[in-house]
Amino acid sequence: MAAPLKVAVLISGRGSNLQALIDAFGPEAADSPVKIALVLSNRPDAPGLERAAKAGLKTEIVDHKAFQTREDFDVAIDREIRAAGAEFVVLAGFMRLLTAQFVTTWKDKLVNIHPALLPSFPGLDTHQRALQAGVRFHGATVHFVRHETDSGPIIAQSLVAVRPGDTEETLGARVLQTEHRLYPLALRLIAEGHVRVEGERAIVGGQTRYPENVLLNPMSPTA
Ligand code: GRF
């Protein structure tokens, strides 16, 4: 087996996606294609830090408030990521905008999960905006990060049917459940070498693996 992909997971809060990654790839996981080399938070009080510590993972806090500029903060996190030996960066509820310099340095080695079917609903309050727009399907997206917020080549998406009477909370909870399956799935595809970027599209594993491995479909019996 090839050496595992060493990743840094960046968080700011609750860390439920981090937990899904720990469950899939943490120290307890056998033959994991991914190794979590670092969990970094910009907030000292992020509950996700406890999840990481409990799993025995290396953690670092780089408090953005201690830096004058975004550039200085990004240089500091870049240093920590490299010091931990990570070669890939996973944003999991990381609530800081990254500089062009950082995004360029980590191009195609930097992924994010967004709680909507991009390119619809980039930004915040995605569930509320989806309900307001009256869409029938909503979901989540894992994508490579580009400079514009919540943009970049799409790797995998999960689909959630909107139900009559859904609220921001009920819809958001179902989307989050799919995120917890989607992020480990997408990261595994990357770590195993099944994802490449051509132009500004992410191509996954040739025609035969698509779409079953990158689309969680609520209409399918296994979803
Ligand atoms: C998730 O909804 C994710 O899609 C978004 O931020 C939220 C993070 O939640 N980017 P958690 O901290 O992983 O629980």
Side-chain angles (χ1 to χ4, degrees):
M1 208 182 72
L5 181 70
K6 287 194 204 151
V7 307
V9 183
L10 273 49
I11 62 167
S12 298
R14 144 187 87 173
S16 71
N17 276 292
L18 166 67
Q19 187 64 56
L21 296 173
I22 291 172
D23 294 344
F25 308 122
E28 313 250 297
D31 296 330
S32 173
V34 173
K35 180 175 164 27
I36 304 174
L38 173 69
V39 174
L40 184 150
S41 173
N42 66 305
R43 297 185 57 118
D45 58 351
L49 284 169
E50 263 176 53
R51 299 178 190 265
K54 206 166 155 204
L57 297 172
K58 176 177 165 58
T59 60
E60 288 292 344
I61 296 163
V62 182
D63 189 343
H64 63 274
K65 293 199 192 109
F67 296 85
Q68 296 280 348
T69 65
R70 284 190 191 279
E71 283 74 16
D72 290 348
F73 172 73
D74 281 7
V75 166
I77 63 173
D78 186 272
R79 194 182 307 127
E80 293 297 345
I81 292 164
R82 289 176 199 279
E87 51 194 325
F88 197 94
V89 180
V90 178
L91 307 180
F94 184 68
M95 301 302 286
R96 300 292 302 166
L97 293 176
L98 294 163
T99 56
Q101 164 83 46
F102 186 93
V103 171
T104 305
T105 304
W106 290 94
K107 189 172 183 209
D108 298 341
K109 291 179 183 154
L110 171 62
V111 290
N112 180 44
I113 188 160
H114 180 72
L117 291 172
L118 291 173
S120 292
F121 312 121
L124 299 174
D125 302 323
T126 54
H127 311 310
Q128 190 199 343
R129 285 157 60 211
L131 287 172
Q132 250 163 24
V135 294
R136 300 304 195 244
F137 288 104
H138 186 40
T141 304
V142 176
H143 62 99
F144 288 110
V145 173
R146 294 293 184 263
H147 188 46
E148 203 178 316
T149 306
D150 299 323
S151 75
I154 290 169
I155 301 158
Q157 293 188 305
S158 60
L159 197 58
V160 169
V162 179
R163 293 180 187 155
D166 255 337
T167 63
E168 198 182 332
E169 288 72 32
T170 58
L171 181 59
R174 291 206 306 289
V175 171
L176 189 63
Q177 276 179 5
T178 70
E179 290 184 37
H180 298 160
R181 292 173 55 204
L182 190 69
Y183 222 175
L185 170 72
L187 211 50
R188 178 176 293 275
L189 287 170
I190 293 165
E192 291 180 346
H194 298 300
V195 183
R196 66 181 196 281
V197 179
E198 273 183 23
E200 275 306 280
R201 288 202 307 158
I203 311 292
V204 177
Q207 295 304 313
T208 52
R209 289 179 72 94
Y210 188 84
E212 307 82 51
N213 288 333
V214 289
L215 178 67
L216 299 187
N217 184 338
M219 304 308 180
S220 95
T222 54

